[in-house]
Amino acid sequence: MHSYQKQTVAVQNHTDEHVEGERQTFLRVAEIVLSKSRVPLSAGEIVDRGIEQGLFGDHTMGRTPQKSMQARLSMDILHRKTDSQFVRTGRGRFTLRTSLGAPASEPGTTAGEAQSEYVAERRVLRTPREEVLCVPESAFRDVLTFQGIDTDTPPILGQLLSESNTTYVGRAEAEVNNDAKQFITYVLVQCGQRLLFFKRSYLSRAAEFLRGSKCIGFGGHVSAADLDMLSRVDFGLSACGRRELAEELFLPDRPRRKRKVSAEASLTDKATIDLFQSVPLECLGVLNDDSSEVGRRHVAVVYRAWLPDWNTAKKLQKGDSSIKGLGWIDLSKDKVDITDFEYWSQLCLRRFYPSTLFTRARFEILNNSRFASDRILVVAGRIGSGKSETATYLSQRLHCSLVKTGELVRELMASPPISEIGREAFQTRAYEFISAEGGTKKLADAIASQIVRDGSNRTIIDGIRNLDTFEHLEKGCDGGVGLLFVQTPPDVAFDMYRAREAGTLKFSYRDFLKVYDAPVEEEISSLGRRADAYIYNSFGMEAFRRTLDELLPKMRS
C-alpha cells in the first residue's frame, strides 16, 4: 500500500496534522482543549475533554486514544522543538507554549506546575532504515507549480530526476521534512474497458465524507531497492510501480487456492510477479497535491498498467491486508459517483475517465429533522468551495434573510473592507480578533442580534469559521441551528476562487494556498464534522446550482 494511502488512513483525519480538508486531528483537539484549560493536562485528560466537547465528532479513535494523543504531542515537540505550540510541564503533562509561566489555578494541581518546560529523556527506537527517493525544494519549486495532474511528463521528470537533484533519504526523516518531496508511484490497473478499484475500511463517517472509501491507485515510495542496472534510466520509478502491484495484488496460480496474506508470502507468488513484470506500463502524468501536509511532501508519477487478458485479470485478489475488497468499473457503461473516491483518485477520474462520472454535484442529509425545520441554517465550507454562493442562492429562493459574518467581523474589528486591504491582511486581523478572549462569543452575539433585527422566520448564515462561534450561537438562539457543509476538492476550489476574485491566470495555486490555509480557516473542518447535511461540489457552479435546486424541496418540508 503506498505511503499516501497508509498515512492518510492513520493520519489524515490529514491526519496530516493540518486540514485538508480537511480533518479533525489529535493535535487540533489538544490545541482547543488546552486553550480552554487553566492547567496542564495529561494525554488522557485531553482526550476525555475532547470527547466531552464533541471535538472528535464521530471519529472512532481506537482502543487506546490516550496513547495516540501522547504520541502525537511527543512527536510534535520532538521534531518542531521551540516552534511547537505544545510543551511538557512534567512527565506526561502538556500545555500550550503560550501558557508557560501561568500559575496553576484548578483544584488538585500543584502550585507553579506550568512555570517551566520539562524536557523528557529521549527514547531511541531502532528500526530498519528504508531510504526513499527525494527531490529538494530548490529543484521542484519552479517546476511543480500546478495542483492536480500535468500530462506533459517528460519535461517535468527531466527537470526533477537527475543525479544532481535527487537523493535518498531515510523514510522516517523524509516524513517530517517539509523542504523536499518524496517520489511515489500511483498505478491504475486497466483491462480493456474495465478499471480496477479497491475498497478500504474507514474510522468514521466524517473521514469517509472527507476522503472517500474507494481508490483506483496502487503504489508506494520509490526506494533505493528499486534502483538497479535495468531501472536506472527512470531512477527506479517503473520498477517501484511493478513491485507495489505485485505486493498489493495477488494472482492465484491454481484455481481456488487460498493464500495467507503476508509480506513474506508476496515474495513467493511467481504467477503474480510474472504478471506485473510483463504488463505494459504507460506513464500518464505527474500528480502534485499541495492541498495537505502529506501531499506537500510527495510527488506522484501516475502510470497505467494494461492487463491483456480479462480471464486472467478477473482472478486478481487483494494481496495487502489493508485492502478490504476489489471491484471493476466497466468504463463502457458504468457511471460512478466521484465523491465515493479519495482525492487523488478523483483527480485521475476527472482527468482520464470523465465520461464515466456523474457530472453533477450531490447532497447528503444526515439529520433531516434539524436540517428541514431549524429556523437558522449555517452554511460553512473552505475558501472557494461555493459556500457564499450557496448561502446567497438559498436565501433568495427561500425568501429569507441572509447574515454575512464577514461583514459583521469587519464591523466588530473596525477594519477596512477586503477590497481595500486584501484578503490576507483581513484574514490576519480576523484571526487576531477571533483568538482574543471573548472573540468567538462577540461574533455569535452579533449574529444573534442581526437575526433579531431582521425579524425573519428563517435565516441563512454565511461564513462561520470557528466551532466555538457555532456553539455559542446554538446556545443563544431559539428554534435550533442547522449546519450545511459545502465540500469541494481543492483544485476545483482554486479554479472557482481565481475566477471569482483573482481575475487573472497569473494568480498561482501557491497564492491560493496562502488564503486557503490561513490560521483563521483552521477550524472549518471541525464544523464539517458537526454538519446536518453535506453538499458536494465536484464540477463547478453550473452543476452545483442544479443540485441546489434539488436540495430546496428538502428544506421546505
Side-chain angles (χ1 to χ4, degrees):
M1 178 68 65
H2 65 66
S3 167
Y4 176 79
Q5 294 167 340
K6 288 176 179 174
Q7 282 188 332
T8 50
V9 168
V11 185
Q12 268 215 110
N13 270 346
H14 210 335
T15 66
D16 152 354
E17 308 304 357
H18 207 347
V19 286
E20 151 274 53
E22 334 111 332
R23 294 151 277 264
Q24 185 63 59
T25 68
F26 277 89
L27 289 185
R28 189 60 183 140
V29 171
E31 180 185 358
I32 296 170
V33 169
L34 290 173
S35 69
K36 298 177 182 179
S37 175
R38 291 173 291 174
V39 296
L41 301 174
S42 68
E45 290 169 334
I46 295 171
V47 169
D48 289 343
R49 295 192 185 193
I51 293 173
E52 290 172 1
Q53 296 170 31
L55 299 180
F56 288 102
D58 295 324
H59 177 59
T60 303
M61 296 161 287
R63 296 180 180 179
T64 56
Q66 69 278 4
K67 290 185 179 179
S68 298
M69 179 65 74
Q70 177 94 18
R72 296 291 179 86
L73 290 169
S74 298
M75 292 301 291
D76 191 74
I77 293 170
L78 173 63
H79 292 298
R80 300 186 65 193
K81 298 181 175 60
T82 57
D83 288 333
S84 173
Q85 61 185 319
F86 306 103
V87 293
R88 287 187 183 87
T89 61
R91 196 174 188 81
R93 308 287 291 180
F94 300 91
T95 191
L96 295 178
R97 188 171 295 278
T98 54
S99 299
L100 280 178
S105 55
E106 288 188 0
T109 62
T110 302
E113 183 181 16
Q115 290 297 321
S116 61
E117 181 175 2
Y118 166 80
V119 180
E121 180 182 353
R122 184 170 179 179
R123 300 167 64 183
V124 178
L125 177 64
R126 298 187 181 276
T127 56
R129 179 179 174 87
E130 177 190 5
E131 293 191 326
V132 296
L133 183 65
C134 296
V135 58
E137 184 181 9
S138 58
F140 71 72
R141 184 187 302 115
D142 297 327
V143 179
L144 301 176
T145 58
F146 57 93
Q147 171 69 15
I149 299 172
D150 193 322
T151 56
D152 193 14
T153 309
I156 296 175
L157 293 183
Q159 294 179 74
L160 297 181
L161 293 174
S162 69
E163 296 290 347
S164 59
N165 285 340
T166 56
T167 184
Y168 288 95
V169 179
R171 174 77 172 272
E173 178 185 347
E175 296 298 0
V176 295
N177 184 2
N178 292 320
D179 298 324
K181 280 184 180 282
Q182 305 161 56
F183 281 95
I184 68 173
T185 55
Y186 198 75
V187 187
L188 316 183
V189 177
Q190 187 169 341
C191 181
Q193 287 295 301
R194 294 181 175 90
L195 178 67
L196 186 64
F197 71 90
F198 66 87
K199 299 178 182 179
R200 55 174 171 249
S201 62
Y202 274 78
L203 297 177
S204 71
R205 179 195 69 203
E208 185 173 334
F209 141 63
L210 288 169
R211 293 195 292 112
S213 60
K214 298 177 182 178
C215 181
I216 62 172
F218 300 82
H221 280 86
V222 181
S223 72
D226 294 311
L227 190 64
D228 57 27
M229 290 182 60
L230 299 178
S231 62
R232 187 169 295 276
V233 66
D234 67 353
F235 286 75
L237 287 172
S238 57
C240 169
R242 295 180 186 279
R243 171 180 57 78
E244 291 286 347
L245 287 174
E247 291 176 2
E248 297 181 6
L249 295 169
F250 167 57
L251 180 65
D253 57 4
R254 289 202 304 266
R256 296 184 297 278
R257 177 184 175 185
K258 292 188 177 180
R259 165 213 193 198
K260 182 179 179 181
V261 176
S262 69
E264 293 78 11
S266 66
L267 299 177
T268 62
D269 295 325
K270 185 177 185 302
T272 307
I273 294 173
D274 288 347
L275 172 65
F276 291 116
Q277 286 299 318
S278 62
V279 297
L281 271 189
E282 175 189 7
C283 189
L284 297 178
V286 176
L287 191 157
N288 185 59
D289 173 22
D290 288 331
S291 67
S292 69
E293 189 173 336
V294 170
R296 284 191 284 270
R297 295 192 190 117
H298 296 84
V299 57
V301 181
V302 183
Y303 289 95
R304 176 161 46 196
W306 286 99
L307 302 182
D309 177 40
W310 174 240
N311 288 327
T312 299
K314 68 183 180 181
K315 296 176 184 177
L316 285 174
Q317 301 175 12
K318 65 176 187 175
D320 190 297
S321 59
S322 62
I323 294 177
K324 304 305 179 184
L326 298 175
W328 291 90
I329 301 168
D330 188 333
L331 301 172
S332 66
K333 61 180 181 181
D334 292 344
K335 293 290 183 180
V336 299
D337 188 337
I338 195 171
T339 59
D340 288 338
F341 291 81
E342 61 147 19
Y343 180 48
W344 285 19
S345 292
Q346 290 185 24
L347 291 172
C348 291
L349 286 166
R350 280 195 269 121
R351 188 59 182 266
F352 304 119
Y353 307 100
S355 63
T356 197
L357 303 176
F358 290 122
T359 54
R360 63 176 179 82
R362 74 174 178 91
F363 60 85
E364 181 179 4
I365 299 175
L366 300 179
N367 191 336
N368 188 61
S369 60
R370 289 196 54 158
F371 181 70
S373 61
D374 281 352
R375 188 171 65 90
I376 300 166
L377 178 67
V378 173
V379 180
R382 300 297 299 271
I383 283 181
S385 64
K387 64 173 177 53
S388 294
E389 292 85 345
T390 299
T392 300
Y393 189 77
L394 293 178
S395 68
Q396 292 172 347
R397 295 296 303 272
L398 294 171
H399 306 290
C400 59
S401 63
L402 173 65
V403 176
K404 297 182 178 180
T405 59
E407 295 181 1
L408 290 180
V409 169
R410 183 181 65 80
E411 293 173 3
L412 291 169
M413 297 188 302
S415 168
I418 292 177
S419 58
E420 292 184 17
I421 64 174
R423 184 172 289 275
E424 288 184 57
F426 188 87
Q427 286 180 315
T428 300
R429 295 190 184 196
Y431 181 68
E432 292 172 353
F433 167 79
I434 211 71
S435 300
E437 184 176 357
T440 55
K441 189 174 187 305
K442 289 178 184 177
L443 177 56
D445 290 344
I447 295 171
S449 296
Q450 181 163 334
I451 291 173
V452 172
R453 288 195 303 271
D454 291 344
S456 176
N457 291 329
R458 195 168 195 182
T459 301
I460 306 292
I461 300 174
D462 167 32
I464 285 183
R465 287 171 164 79
N466 188 277
L467 186 61
D468 206 37
T469 304
F470 178 77
E471 291 174 346
H472 279 304
L473 187 65
E474 278 188 312
K475 295 175 183 176
C477 293
D478 296 328
V481 180
L483 178 58
L484 171 65
F485 194 85
V486 183
Q487 173 66 12
T488 303
D491 57 313
V492 176
F494 168 54
D495 290 338
M496 291 178 58
Y497 179 86
R498 182 172 58 180
R500 184 187 69 197
E501 296 196 21
T504 173
L505 292 176
K506 294 181 180 180
F507 183 80
S508 71
Y509 189 75
R510 289 178 184 169
D511 295 327
F512 174 66
L513 285 180
K514 292 178 182 178
V515 296
Y516 189 80
D517 288 335
V520 74
E521 309 290 328
E522 285 180 348
E523 284 197 16
I524 291 179
S525 292
S526 301
L527 289 168
R529 293 183 175 277
R530 295 286 299 273
D532 301 302
Y534 303 125
I535 187 164
Y536 304 85
N537 178 13
S538 301
F539 299 97
M541 283 309 300
E542 182 177 350
F544 191 53
R545 289 193 183 97
R546 294 197 296 270
T547 305
L548 289 175
D549 287 336
E550 296 176 15
L551 181 65
L552 280 169
K554 306 290 184 181
M555 301 180 66
R556 290 170 173 149
S557 60

